[in-house]
PDB file of all heavy atoms in Angstrom:
ATOM      1  N   TRP B  97      10.016  18.942   9.797  1.00 72.00           N
ATOM      2  CA  TRP B  97      10.106  17.528   9.656  1.00 72.00           C
ATOM      3  C   TRP B  97       8.909  16.926   8.793  1.00 72.00           C
ATOM      4  O   TRP B  97       9.038  15.767   8.391  1.00 72.00           O
ATOM      5  CB  TRP B  97       9.991  16.787  11.070  1.00 72.00           C
ATOM      6  CG  TRP B  97       8.581  17.042  11.717  1.00 72.00           C
ATOM      7  CD1 TRP B  97       8.325  18.067  12.504  1.00 72.00           C
ATOM      8  CD2 TRP B  97       7.477  16.149  11.648  1.00 72.00           C
ATOM      9  NE1 TRP B  97       6.950  17.896  13.026  1.00 72.00           N
ATOM     10  CE2 TRP B  97       6.449  16.762  12.509  1.00 72.00           C
ATOM     11  CE3 TRP B  97       7.238  14.847  11.113  1.00 72.00           C
ATOM     12  CZ2 TRP B  97       5.207  16.074  12.649  1.00 72.00           C
ATOM     13  CZ3 TRP B  97       6.074  14.290  11.362  1.00 72.00           C
ATOM     14  CH2 TRP B  97       5.057  14.846  12.024  1.00 72.00           C
ATOM     15  N   LEU B  98       7.986  17.779   8.486  1.00 68.00           N
ATOM     16  CA  LEU B  98       6.962  17.277   7.460  1.00 68.00           C
ATOM     17  C   LEU B  98       7.576  17.350   6.118  1.00 68.00           C
ATOM     18  O   LEU B  98       7.306  18.303   5.268  1.00 68.00           O
ATOM     19  CB  LEU B  98       5.757  18.222   7.645  1.00 68.00           C
ATOM     20  CG  LEU B  98       5.039  18.289   9.023  1.00 68.00           C
ATOM     21  CD1 LEU B  98       4.074  19.262   9.001  1.00 68.00           C
ATOM     22  CD2 LEU B  98       4.518  16.854   9.417  1.00 68.00           C
ATOM     23  N   SER B  99       8.303  16.424   5.745  1.00 57.00           N
ATOM     24  CA  SER B  99       9.042  16.425   4.440  1.00 57.00           C
ATOM     25  C   SER B  99       8.045  16.540   3.241  1.00 57.00           C
ATOM     26  O   SER B  99       8.353  16.913   2.186  1.00 57.00           O
ATOM     27  CB  SER B  99       9.921  15.286   4.329  1.00 57.00           C
ATOM     28  OG  SER B  99       9.320  14.124   4.041  1.00 57.00           O
ATOM     29  N   SER B 100       6.868  16.021   3.596  1.00 58.00           N
ATOM     30  CA  SER B 100       5.822  16.018   2.390  1.00 58.00           C
ATOM     31  C   SER B 100       4.958  17.359   2.491  1.00 58.00           C
ATOM     32  O   SER B 100       4.002  17.385   1.703  1.00 58.00           O
ATOM     33  CB  SER B 100       4.979  14.839   2.588  1.00 58.00           C
ATOM     34  OG  SER B 100       4.224  14.841   3.805  1.00 58.00           O
ATOM     35  N   SER B 101       5.297  18.301   3.492  1.00 62.00           N
ATOM     36  CA  SER B 101       4.564  19.526   3.515  1.00 62.00           C
ATOM     37  C   SER B 101       4.684  20.277   2.224  1.00 62.00           C
ATOM     38  O   SER B 101       5.703  20.458   1.650  1.00 62.00           O
ATOM     39  CB  SER B 101       4.977  20.260   4.621  1.00 62.00           C
ATOM     40  OG  SER B 101       4.414  21.530   4.571  1.00 62.00           O
ATOM     41  N   TYR B 102       3.571  20.783   1.802  1.00 64.00           N
ATOM     42  CA  TYR B 102       3.480  21.537   0.476  1.00 64.00           C
ATOM     43  C   TYR B 102       4.483  22.723   0.617  1.00 64.00           C
ATOM     44  O   TYR B 102       4.996  23.117  -0.492  1.00 64.00           O
ATOM     45  CB  TYR B 102       2.115  22.085   0.373  1.00 64.00           C
ATOM     46  CG  TYR B 102       1.758  22.499  -0.976  1.00 64.00           C
ATOM     47  CD1 TYR B 102       1.408  21.465  -1.963  1.00 64.00           C
ATOM     48  CD2 TYR B 102       1.603  23.721  -1.473  1.00 64.00           C
ATOM     49  CE1 TYR B 102       1.138  21.837  -3.292  1.00 64.00           C
ATOM     50  CE2 TYR B 102       1.298  24.104  -2.733  1.00 64.00           C
ATOM     51  CZ  TYR B 102       0.991  23.076  -3.655  1.00 64.00           C
ATOM     52  OH  TYR B 102       0.668  23.452  -4.921  1.00 64.00           O
ATOM     53  N   ASN B 103       4.739  23.278   1.797  1.00 69.00           N
ATOM     54  CA  ASN B 103       5.417  24.500   1.866  1.00 69.00           C
ATOM     55  C   ASN B 103       6.872  24.118   2.373  1.00 69.00           C
ATOM     56  O   ASN B 103       7.613  25.063   2.807  1.00 69.00           O
ATOM     57  CB  ASN B 103       4.835  25.455   2.800  1.00 69.00           C
ATOM     58  CG  ASN B 103       3.511  25.959   2.248  1.00 69.00           C
ATOM     59  OD1 ASN B 103       3.387  26.273   1.075  1.00 69.00           O
ATOM     60  ND2 ASN B 103       2.459  25.944   3.051  1.00 69.00           N
ATOM     61  N   SER B 104       7.217  22.923   2.550  1.00 78.00           N
ATOM     62  CA  SER B 104       8.481  22.558   3.116  1.00 78.00           C
ATOM     63  C   SER B 104       9.195  21.400   2.346  1.00 78.00           C
ATOM     64  O   SER B 104       9.369  20.307   2.671  1.00 78.00           O
ATOM     65  CB  SER B 104       8.358  22.112   4.584  1.00 78.00           C
ATOM     66  OG  SER B 104       9.553  21.748   5.182  1.00 78.00           O
ATOM     67  N   PRO B 105       9.413  21.700   0.982  1.00 86.00           N
ATOM     68  CA  PRO B 105      10.012  20.671   0.099  1.00 86.00           C
ATOM     69  C   PRO B 105      11.383  20.262   0.567  1.00 86.00           C
ATOM     70  O   PRO B 105      12.025  20.901   1.285  1.00 86.00           O
ATOM     71  CB  PRO B 105       9.965  21.294  -1.227  1.00 86.00           C
ATOM     72  CG  PRO B 105      10.266  22.853  -0.912  1.00 86.00           C
ATOM     73  CD  PRO B 105       9.359  22.963   0.383  1.00 86.00           C
ATOM     74  N   LEU B 106      11.783  19.104   0.121  1.00 91.00           N
ATOM     75  CA  LEU B 106      13.137  18.542   0.224  1.00 91.00           C
ATOM     76  C   LEU B 106      14.129  19.360  -0.599  1.00 91.00           C
ATOM     77  O   LEU B 106      13.871  19.402  -1.794  1.00 91.00           O
ATOM     78  CB  LEU B 106      13.244  17.143   0.017  1.00 91.00           C
ATOM     79  CG  LEU B 106      12.493  16.178   1.031  1.00 91.00           C
ATOM     80  CD1 LEU B 106      12.397  14.733   0.446  1.00 91.00           C
ATOM     81  CD2 LEU B 106      12.930  16.269   2.352  1.00 91.00           C
ATOM     82  N   HIS B 107      15.277  19.698  -0.054  1.00 93.00           N
ATOM     83  CA  HIS B 107      16.430  20.220  -0.765  1.00 93.00           C
ATOM     84  C   HIS B 107      17.539  19.130  -0.754  1.00 93.00           C
ATOM     85  O   HIS B 107      17.972  18.817   0.421  1.00 93.00           O
ATOM     86  CB  HIS B 107      16.880  21.553  -0.260  1.00 93.00           C
ATOM     87  CG  HIS B 107      15.827  22.591  -0.261  1.00 93.00           C
ATOM     88  ND1 HIS B 107      15.922  23.647  -1.291  1.00 93.00           N
ATOM     89  CD2 HIS B 107      14.699  22.852   0.352  1.00 93.00           C
ATOM     90  CE1 HIS B 107      14.900  24.410  -1.172  1.00 93.00           C
ATOM     91  NE2 HIS B 107      14.074  23.986  -0.215  1.00 93.00           N
ATOM     92  N   PHE B 108      17.914  18.656  -1.846  1.00 96.00           N
ATOM     93  CA  PHE B 108      19.041  17.626  -1.837  1.00 96.00           C
ATOM     94  C   PHE B 108      20.403  18.213  -2.201  1.00 96.00           C
ATOM     95  O   PHE B 108      20.559  19.246  -2.880  1.00 96.00           O
ATOM     96  CB  PHE B 108      18.569  16.541  -2.966  1.00 96.00           C
ATOM     97  CG  PHE B 108      17.526  15.665  -2.717  1.00 96.00           C
ATOM     98  CD1 PHE B 108      16.177  16.060  -3.006  1.00 96.00           C
ATOM     99  CD2 PHE B 108      17.740  14.384  -2.036  1.00 96.00           C
ATOM    100  CE1 PHE B 108      15.118  15.257  -2.638  1.00 96.00           C
ATOM    101  CE2 PHE B 108      16.659  13.626  -1.780  1.00 96.00           C
ATOM    102  CZ  PHE B 108      15.292  14.010  -2.000  1.00 96.00           C
ATOM    103  N   GLY B 109      21.454  17.439  -1.638  1.00 97.00           N
ATOM    104  CA  GLY B 109      22.719  17.629  -2.102  1.00 97.00           C
ATOM    105  C   GLY B 109      22.979  16.979  -3.402  1.00 97.00           C
ATOM    106  O   GLY B 109      22.059  16.301  -3.982  1.00 97.00           O
ATOM    107  N   ASN B 110      24.228  16.967  -3.785  1.00 97.00           N
ATOM    108  CA  ASN B 110      24.597  16.399  -5.188  1.00 97.00           C
ATOM    109  C   ASN B 110      25.080  14.948  -5.012  1.00 97.00           C
ATOM    110  O   ASN B 110      25.467  14.359  -6.028  1.00 97.00           O
ATOM    111  CB  ASN B 110      25.629  17.184  -5.882  1.00 97.00           C
ATOM    112  CG  ASN B 110      25.066  18.534  -6.468  1.00 97.00           C
ATOM    113  OD1 ASN B 110      23.838  18.625  -6.694  1.00 97.00           O
ATOM    114  ND2 ASN B 110      25.885  19.589  -6.468  1.00 97.00           N
ATOM    115  N   GLY B 111      25.069  14.306  -3.900  1.00 97.00           N
ATOM    116  CA  GLY B 111      25.179  12.971  -3.782  1.00 97.00           C
ATOM    117  C   GLY B 111      26.693  12.476  -3.459  1.00 97.00           C
ATOM    118  O   GLY B 111      27.619  13.201  -3.889  1.00 97.00           O
ATOM    119  N   THR B 112      26.751  11.409  -2.851  1.00 97.00           N
ATOM    120  CA  THR B 112      28.167  10.620  -2.798  1.00 97.00           C
ATOM    121  C   THR B 112      27.902   9.265  -3.456  1.00 97.00           C
ATOM    122  O   THR B 112      27.079   8.498  -3.075  1.00 97.00           O
ATOM    123  CB  THR B 112      28.452  10.378  -1.255  1.00 97.00           C
ATOM    124  OG1 THR B 112      28.711  11.588  -0.609  1.00 97.00           O
ATOM    125  CG2 THR B 112      29.733   9.524  -1.175  1.00 97.00           C
TER     126      THR B 112
END
Side-chain angles (χ1 to χ4, degrees):
Chain B
W97 65 275
L98 299 173
S99 72
S100 60
S101 169
Y102 201 76
N103 296 316
S104 180
L106 293 174
H107 295 259
F108 286 88
N110 287 332
T112 294

